[in-house]
Amino acid sequence: MYTTVPGPTEQSSPIRMWAEPESVEPQALEQLRNVAALPWTHGVAVMPDVHRGIGATVGSVIAMKGAVSPAAVGVDIGCGMSAVKTSLVADQLPDDLSKLRTRIEQAVPVGRGVHHKDVRLEAVQEPGAKKPLRGWHEFWQGFDELERTVTRGKRGRVSEQMGTLGGGNHFLEVNLDAQGGVWLMLHSGSRGIGNQLAAHHIEVARTLPQNQDLPDPDLAVFLADTPQMAAYRRDLFWAQEYARRNRAVMLWLFAEVLRKEFPKVTFDKAISCHHNYVAEETYDGVEVLVTRKGAIRAGGGDLGIIPGSMGTGSYIVRGLGNAAAFNSASHGAGRLMSRNQARKQFTVEDLKKQTKGVECRKDPGVVDEIPGAYKDIRSVMARQTDLVEIVAELKQVVCVKG
Ligand code: 5GP
Ligand code: MN
Ligand code: MN
């Protein structure tokens, strides 16, 4: 259940909070109040993994009437998760998982700025799908209509980044469910092109007249029926589609790794959910642009993925369709501290302890991703039982970080 926190003025929309209000950092609370006070805001829902972001908090949902804030959406447009259940069980996996990890690293380019040159996109078939992924031609036609200053001459590079993980906390994992079933899971978004498009529109928004007296320049908005809004929407929805396809290509490459080892392996239908994106939705007859910034859609029956950390479990969930939360749920456990703070507080030894039993990197480069730098995923799940029900509880045995 939620607590309602009043906005800063009488005209502000209410802030519905699925986090304990006392546990929310003061800077995050300030960001929530700023958003609630914007004249275009129709409602704000705060997820239990909430923490400070740029302009708006991560782990929140903003519904606006006739407006959208590009900085609130953020630079990794369409970032999200994909997962698929395989027919394999734990006993079939080799005792030494390091070889499997190496094969995954060889099959899917990981890290910033890495490219592919050899994937034939027309052949990509998402695991569990009956037909290859279609619509590539229309998709690339869409690319040619994007913001010219950002994309001129870049199509080659953008297509080479399709099917690549990126850096940071993007990851690929092999997980086991409570029955020993093997799942593949991954986290990524719209790579360099999403970032460039977002950065461009964020700059444009700052110059517009309606954004000159905002409490935070990162809350600048585009308004309905303006050319700037039309351009942003075109680029935003294209980047969201890029992210969806990017994850589909990687899940296919990942599944191919298993197919080589286990020719008879089969896959259930894949699950894919964005957790940084915009959707047009209607609540009580009001049409709104819903920004899920570190939140997933959890409409009645929607399947979603809520990851924990590189050493704690993750969850496959089914949405309960709670309109008070604009049909949403948390996108993860959420950070407990900044990356800098984590590097100060934890050592490689701590990382080794907290990722015991996981075949993953255990070097200084990933100490800022240590499970202790994230909130406790179990407590986060316990706070959203009116938003989602748990379908499967997963625990990783292999984790490849970007
Ligand atoms: P974000 O999209 O905000 O960067 O991260 C999403 C969520 O993924 C985080 O809030 C955290 O709970 C979770 N997470 C981060 N790293 C890992 C990982 O290596 N494995 C899993 N399963 N979850 C992770
Ligand atoms: Mn991302
Ligand atoms: Mn993400």
Side-chain angles (χ1 to χ4, degrees), residues 76 79-81 169-170 187-189 275-276 331:
D76 195 359
C79 189
M81 300 285 305
N169 66 343
H170 293 157
H187 173 212
S188 186
H275 57 219
N276 257 14
H331 85 309

Side-chain angles (χ1 to χ4, degrees), residues 80-384:
M81 300 285 305
S82 291
V84 70
K85 185 174 195 274
T86 76
S87 58
L88 301 175
V89 292
D91 290 348
Q92 290 173 275
L93 294 179
D95 290 334
D96 178 7
L97 291 167
S98 62
K99 280 208 192 84
L100 180 56
R101 178 178 154 205
T102 308
R103 288 202 189 102
I104 299 166
E105 286 165 350
Q106 286 164 348
V108 185
V110 301
R112 282 180 216 285
V114 180
H115 298 68
H116 261 303
K117 291 203 168 65
D118 51 356
V119 172
R120 211 168 63 80
L121 296 175
E122 287 70 28
V124 170
Q125 185 159 343
E126 262 194 294
K130 295 204 172 67
K131 289 183 187 145
L133 187 58
R134 295 188 195 273
W136 287 106
H137 182 69
E138 294 76 6
F139 173 71
W140 289 118
Q141 274 182 330
F143 176 85
D144 295 332
E145 285 151 26
L146 297 179
E147 178 54 43
R148 295 274 294 152
T149 54
V150 177
T151 62
R152 191 172 292 140
K154 289 205 176 126
R155 179 150 158 189
R157 226 172 78 199
V158 173
S159 87
E160 283 169 16
Q161 274 200 337
M162 177 62 75
T164 68
L165 192 71
N169 66 343
H170 293 157
F171 60 83
L172 296 143
E173 283 183 350
V174 180
N175 279 264
L176 302 180
D177 64 24
Q179 290 74 38
V182 175
W183 290 68
L184 309 183
M185 195 162 98
L186 60 89
H187 173 212
S188 186
S190 54
R191 308 289 284 109
I193 185 62
N195 193 303
Q196 283 162 19
L197 290 168
H200 166 78
H201 289 288
I202 289 167
E203 277 306 306
V204 172
R206 280 169 182 267
T207 65
L208 298 175
Q210 71 269 19
N211 298 320
Q212 300 314 309
D213 292 318
L214 297 174
D216 183 337
D218 280 324
L219 291 177
V221 297
F222 291 122
L223 298 181
D225 306 318
T226 61
Q228 295 87 357
M229 172 70 109
Y232 180 59
R233 286 171 67 113
R234 175 198 62 203
D235 294 0
L236 170 77
F237 291 133
W238 184 88
Q240 289 180 185
E241 181 61 14
Y242 183 98
R244 190 179 77 82
R245 287 173 181 265
N246 181 35
R247 291 199 300 273
V249 175
M250 281 188 282
L251 203 58
W252 175 72
L253 294 168
F254 198 172
E256 291 295 294
V257 172
L258 286 201
R259 275 206 194 91
K260 273 189 201 129
E261 202 92 352
F262 307 96
K264 289 201 179 122
V265 64
T266 58
F267 299 90
D268 286 358
K269 196 172 178 303
I271 305 167
S272 175
C273 62
H274 292 327
H275 57 219
N276 257 14
Y277 77 113
V278 178
E280 298 172 289
E281 296 176 8
T282 303
Y283 294 91
D284 291 330
V286 182
E287 284 177 30
V288 282
L289 283 163
V290 178
T291 299
R292 295 194 175 88
K293 183 190 180 73
I296 59 169
R297 188 177 150 86
D302 290 342
L303 289 175
I305 306 160
I306 303 182
S309 73
M310 68 188 291
T312 50
S314 301
Y315 295 84
I316 305 295
V317 297
R318 189 180 294 114
L320 297 175
N322 191 329
F326 300 105
N327 288 348
S328 306
S330 96
H331 85 309
R335 288 198 84 88
L336 192 58
M337 62 185 75
S338 68
R339 290 175 183 280
N340 276 337
Q341 178 68 31
R343 279 189 285 262
K344 269 188 221 146
Q345 194 163 323
F346 294 105
T347 63
V348 171
E349 281 314 305
D350 297 326
L351 178 65
K352 284 182 185 161
K353 273 189 213 136
Q354 294 186 25
T355 56
K356 202 157 170 269
V358 185
E359 173 59 44
C360 65
R361 278 175 63 188
K362 304 188 191 219
D363 57 72
V366 288
V367 168
D368 55 353
E369 281 293 312
I370 189 168
Y374 286 95
K375 296 183 202 196
D376 173 37
I377 184 71
R378 282 175 194 272
S379 322
V380 167
M381 294 309 291
R383 292 203 71 89
Q384 50 184 342

